[in-house]
Amino acid sequence: MPLITYRTALNQAFAEELSRDESVFLMGEEVAQYNGAYKVTEGLWERFGSKRIIDTPISEAAFLGLGVGAAMMGLRPVIELMFWSFAYVGFDQIINNAGCIRYMSGGLINIPMVIRGPANGGTSVGATHSHTPENLLASTPGLKVVAPATPYDAKGLMIASIRDQDTVCFMENTLLYGNIGEVPEGSYSIPLGVADIKREGTDVSFIAHGRAVLTALEAAEMLQEEYGISAEVVDLRSIRPLDEEAIFTSIAKTHRVVLIDENKPFCGVSAQIASMIAEQAFDELDAPILRVTALDAPAIYSMPLEKLQLPTAERIIQKTLTLF
Amino acid sequence: MTRIMTPTTTDLDQAARAPINEAWSEEAKIHALREMLRIRRFEQQALKFYNQGKMGGFLHLYIGQESVAVGAASLMNGHDEIITAYRDHGHALAVGMSMEECMAELFGKATGCSKGKGGSMHFFAPDKHYWGGHGIVAGQVPLGLGLAFALKYRAIPGCALCFLGDGAINQGVFAESLNLAALCELPIVFLIENNGYSMGTSLERSSSMATCLAERAAGFNMDWDVVDGSHLYALRAKLHDAMEKARSASRPSLLEMTTYRYYGHSIADANHKKYRTPEEIEAYKKNHDPISSWQEQLMQEGILSQALLESLDEAAKLEAAGSVDFAEASPWPEPSTLFRDVYAEVDQGSEAGRLGRHFFSDLNAA
Ligand SMILES: Cc1ncc(C[n+]2csc(CCOP(=O)(O)OP(=O)(O)O)c2C)c(N)n1
Ligand SMILES: [Mg+2]
């Protein structure tokens, strides 16, 4: 299988869907002539032209809302946010319009739209540019949320998201764009709502999404080598819909769980999962449910402290050891 | 292609004779030159160390636009307030922030103006009436309204200077703010620093307009004008009038300052010689560089000698290099400071700060 970057995997997904379906178009700041601020849409404007690949002014509320309206008419907009942090100026369009219109119309209207872009800390761009709003978005029934960790998942989930009848908030990561992995050529899709076991283990379950999956894998290797502890890594891939069965199955096997989450702790994705485990898998647990999250302050700029602020393999190991 | 205003000599003569410029002392004119040189030398040092990996995130350079911040700061009366976007180093130095605290912030050090918490885009100095440094495009614009509102509320004889880029005017909140400023008669001047581009997008590709951007104010019944932002006399003449109208009559206005950035949008913008031509960049540098044209002006007036110029420049370079030494020698912020500066009540140890749980993770039991 070809080895390509996460960025190229996404690019291939767009090209596949743009070729397959005339109603798919891509819109956002610098996506066309500049090839995307992070080069995710490279070459698409040249190939598909200005009707399908559209540069916008810095007007997130307007072009997010345009996406909702066009999707109501049956088009399939893929709206790029240069950063998910910039969604905040257009939240009304995402939450009230994309999130609620289907319900308020009694199911008369669908919003088959993808809103995508990077949502991550860890690049020293300060608090305003480092938000990870997957928990906020997932708390709106009506929106779906996806956060792939690998190039393979990125491509398959993007294709599925573009074909989905509902609005999918697709959380990418600037720190992952350059990562390389095996990705099949051509089209394939990974259904939303199906987690993936990224590492089998027997002693403890690590549950994570996005880049935290890679941190969890790193911690799992170190735990194996240094302490002989075998950790299983469950990659959620999709946050809403959520594959709860995969979570419970893993816990039934390991009886211990650490949730790893680049969200802040308060009502982060891991908080929801912790509550589900407490309610539905309590009897399987031999130890308390633990979480490793971003430290609870706005994202700091200063480079060494920012590294500490996000979950690290060391913090995961420290916490995990308290379970044994 | 960018529209660059070429003022005629008569325009400039007229601007030079504006009372606010006639009253400008020789000393103050030299000071303005010094400030522009300081900004440029500071940023050149920042660029050098950014490229060496000493800083994180983005670095948006102001080089080419120095006259706008310096000209505006030269008109502030001690009551005026100022706020801008993420291209904020020039405004920071122009209002009197030290190179040391600014450079240390870029290095992420505890001695930085924001203790290493904000970085390049988020400089603040309320004691100098400088309210940031804002990373979200146009996020600062309604804050400018609030500054003006507070001035008026307290009957303080000042105005708010609210800077934004030519790309920022396409955020909805800008239109909302223009309306509110006019409707509530707030003492504010909106200054569009029109450098012709928002990232890789030219003005023509981002804004629909009849003749200029400032004209958008007309629909809100607000005064507006277009100003040559590269020349201090031209800029001061019109900005002074707008500030006076704001201060004395609570009349807001919108000024569009034509200017230009020499570097890419940020240093990460490797494409900037593709979406604009090297000739365009050179032409601006040659004909409109704010520092050289001001130097020429002052030499013509006989206030500036070559020797003085060189000594000013030398001093700026030394100061900039010194600020790097300071930043390098400064400590990193302590991990324990991560949770400080989040809640005022907690930092002050007040009753409100002690009641209930404020933070949901801590360093040791992370
Ligand atoms: C809401 C929001 N959208 C997008 C961005 C990314 N971004 C930062 S600066 C910029 C261009 C702004 O151009 P302009 O207003 O002309 O200011 P200049 O950079 O020229 O000073 C963009 C798109 C952002 N910071 N905030
Ligand atoms: Mg601009």
Side-chain angles (χ1 to χ4, degrees):
Chain A
M1 240 189 280
L3 285 169
I4 60 170
T5 61
Y6 187 104
R7 164 189 289 121
T8 306
L10 288 169
N11 187 284
Q12 289 184 357
F14 302 139
E16 290 289 341
E17 290 307 288
L18 284 158
S19 312
R20 190 189 60 85
D21 183 351
E22 199 45 45
S23 61
V24 175
F25 69 94
L26 244 78
M27 185 177 244
E29 292 155 20
E30 311 287 350
V31 296
Q33 298 193 26
Y34 195 80
N35 283 319
Y38 287 96
K39 303 292 170 248
V40 177
T41 53
E42 185 144 34
L44 296 176
W45 175 65
E46 275 172 15
R47 180 162 164 207
F48 294 97
S50 297
K51 180 180 172 194
R52 313 282 305 279
I53 316 291
I54 305 152
D55 278 329
T56 65
I58 314 168
S59 309
E60 283 85 359
F63 65 78
L64 282 165
L66 182 156
V68 178
M72 286 162 48
M73 294 282 286
L75 296 186
R76 290 187 175 262
V78 177
I79 305 292
E80 172 171 311
L81 292 163
M82 194 178 284
F83 282 64
W84 261 102
S85 290
F86 308 153
Y88 291 37
V89 308
F91 241 46
D92 178 51
Q93 299 306 322
I94 303 178
I95 308 291
N96 279 323
N97 288 343
C100 301
I101 282 182
R102 179 160 211 284
Y103 191 71
M104 295 186 304
S105 72
L108 293 177
I109 300 171
N110 289 347
I111 324 273
M113 167 166 71
V114 174
I115 309 172
R116 54 157 290 266
N120 59 282
T123 59
S124 308
V125 286
T128 55
H129 282 52
S130 304
H131 294 292
T132 51
E134 57 267 31
N135 55 336
L136 303 184
L137 298 160
S139 73
T140 295
L143 297 178
K144 295 178 174 175
V145 183
V146 166
T150 64
Y152 175 84
D153 291 342
K155 180 170 173 182
L157 285 167
M158 180 57 80
I159 289 178
S161 300
I162 295 175
R163 295 180 187 178
D164 203 279
Q165 293 286 77
D166 298 307
T167 300
V168 180
C169 300
F170 200 98
M171 323 306 285
E172 301 161 17
N173 188 313
T174 55
L175 293 170
L176 297 182
Y177 281 143
N179 284 7
I180 288 173
E182 289 194 332
V183 177
E185 281 171 46
S187 187
Y188 65 95
S189 75
I190 296 174
L192 275 58
V194 181
D196 184 43
I197 309 299
K198 287 285 191 290
R199 184 185 197 279
E200 303 261 359
T202 52
D203 302 333
V204 58
S205 300
F206 289 165
I207 318 274
H209 66 272
R211 194 174 76 108
V213 171
L214 306 188
T215 321
L217 284 168
E218 189 190 335
E221 290 307 318
M222 291 160 75
L223 276 168
Q224 186 77 60
E225 262 167 47
E226 289 169 35
Y227 302 94
I229 293 172
S230 157
E232 176 150 298
V233 177
V234 181
D235 176 1
L236 297 173
R237 298 201 292 199
S238 141
I239 290 160
R240 186 171 187 148
L242 182 73
D243 187 351
E244 53 174 356
E245 217 179 291
I247 298 170
F248 296 147
T249 308
S250 179
I251 293 174
K253 186 164 120 188
T254 63
H255 309 293
R256 290 181 175 80
V257 63
V258 181
L259 308 170
I260 298 131
D261 191 354
E262 293 194 353
N263 268 171
K264 300 285 157 45
F266 200 105
C267 297
V269 169
S270 54
Q272 170 64 23
I273 296 175
S275 113
M276 290 162 58
I277 298 171
E279 279 187 34
Q280 298 172 61
F282 186 72
D283 292 341
E284 294 290 355
L285 292 173
D286 288 347
I289 306 164
L290 295 183
R291 296 196 294 156
V292 177
T293 66
L295 297 181
D296 198 14
I300 194 166
Y301 164 70
S302 188
M303 295 66 93
L305 277 191
E306 195 194 26
K307 286 210 177 69
L308 279 186
Q309 196 170 7
L310 291 177
T312 57
E314 290 69 33
R315 269 169 60 203
I316 299 173
I317 292 168
Q318 252 180 40
K319 271 236 158 141
T320 305
L321 291 177
T322 68
L323 294 175
F324 292 91
Chain B
M1 258 310 283
T2 329
R3 292 170 321 109
I4 293 165
M5 293 225 322
T6 7
T8 59
T9 344
T10 34
D11 288 343
L12 280 182
D13 284 350
Q14 214 178 345
R17 284 197 308 275
I20 188 70
N21 287 331
E22 291 274 7
W24 211 16
S25 71
E26 290 185 3
E27 205 186 337
K29 291 181 192 178
I30 295 289
H31 180 72
L33 176 61
R34 178 187 299 118
E35 292 303 292
M36 292 196 287
L37 287 166
R38 288 179 68 241
I39 294 169
R40 188 160 295 187
R41 297 310 180 199
F42 172 85
E43 288 204 322
Q44 285 168 342
Q45 284 292 312
L47 173 61
K48 181 169 154 198
F49 288 89
Y50 181 85
N51 284 335
Q52 288 179 19
K54 298 280 186 176
M55 299 165 196
F58 300 131
L59 185 70
H60 306 93
L61 296 183
Y62 194 61
I63 292 180
Q65 304 186 199
E66 296 93 336
S67 45
V68 183
V70 169
S74 75
L75 294 167
M76 289 172 69
N77 68 0
H79 297 295
D80 301 324
E81 309 291 338
I82 176 172
I83 189 164
T84 188
Y86 46 84
R87 201 177 295 286
D88 62 347
H89 313 150
H91 308 77
L93 295 178
V95 300
M97 288 176 74
S98 77
M99 281 199 200
E100 290 188 343
E101 60 182 323
C102 292
M103 192 63 82
E105 187 62 28
L106 296 180
F107 275 70
K109 296 300 181 76
T111 52
C113 51
S114 300
K115 305 179 197 154
K117 288 181 166 162
S120 161
M121 301 191 285
H122 307 114
F123 287 3
F124 299 88
D127 63 321
K128 304 191 169 60
H129 304 270
Y130 180 54
W131 299 97
H134 294 269
I136 297 298
V137 167
Q140 78 281 12
V141 174
L143 304 188
L145 280 184
L147 302 176
F149 181 88
L151 287 171
K152 185 174 177 185
Y153 194 87
R154 295 205 168 123
I156 295 169
C159 68
L161 296 178
C162 180
F163 289 82
L164 65 153
D166 51 290
I169 68 160
N170 295 313
Q171 283 288 10
V173 76
F174 177 61
E176 297 178 28
S177 299
L178 288 185
N179 184 49
L180 211 46
L183 198 65
C184 302
E185 300 179 325
L186 297 179
I188 185 167
V189 183
F190 298 99
L191 294 96
I192 303 171
E193 292 194 63
N194 181 359
N195 58 15
Y197 296 87
S198 45
M199 291 189 94
T201 305
S202 66
L203 186 63
E204 288 72 18
R205 294 206 305 117
S206 68
S207 288
S208 178
M209 64 187 135
T211 55
C212 66
L213 301 175
E215 213 176 17
R216 290 191 190 189
F220 298 98
N221 193 24
M222 184 189 293
D223 297 338
W224 60 273
D225 209 339
V226 182
V227 185
D228 174 7
S230 72
H231 202 283
L232 285 175
Y233 281 152
L235 179 160
R236 278 172 44 97
K238 288 189 173 173
L239 179 55
H240 170 74
D241 288 351
M243 289 169 79
E244 269 305 301
K245 263 190 300 199
R247 290 172 187 140
S248 60
S250 250
R251 271 217 351 250
S253 33
L254 173 61
L255 295 184
E256 175 181 347
M257 309 261 170
T258 55
T259 181
Y260 202 72
R261 62 165 157 78
Y262 292 176
Y263 289 86
H265 167 70
S266 74
I267 297 312
D269 171 15
N271 260 357
H272 80 105
K273 288 187 181 149
K274 289 191 190 151
Y275 59 74
R276 51 186 200 173
T277 61
E279 293 77 42
E280 178 183 304
I281 306 173
E282 282 317 307
Y284 194 88
K285 285 187 185 173
K286 190 158 160 264
N287 304 318
H288 299 274
D289 182 73
I291 298 183
S292 0
S293 48
W294 190 238
Q295 280 168 200
E296 270 167 44
Q297 178 73 36
L298 296 187
M299 283 183 175
Q300 265 173 33
E301 291 180 26
I303 329 177
L304 181 68
S305 65
Q306 192 60 32
L308 177 55
L309 172 61
E310 276 162 26
S311 80
L312 290 174
D313 197 29
E314 206 43 46
K317 282 182 185 161
L318 271 177
E319 189 187 355
S323 74
V324 170
D325 295 340
F326 173 81
E328 298 235 63
S330 293
W332 295 107
E334 289 294 329
S336 61
T337 61
L338 201 66
F339 299 108
R340 231 172 278 152
D341 306 315
V342 183
Y343 293 108
E345 299 284 5
V346 173
D347 291 343
Q348 288 159 16
S350 65
E351 167 116 20
R354 288 194 307 269
L355 277 174
R357 185 167 177 184
H358 286 76
F359 294 99
F360 294 84
S361 52
D362 66 72
L363 271 179
N364 303 318

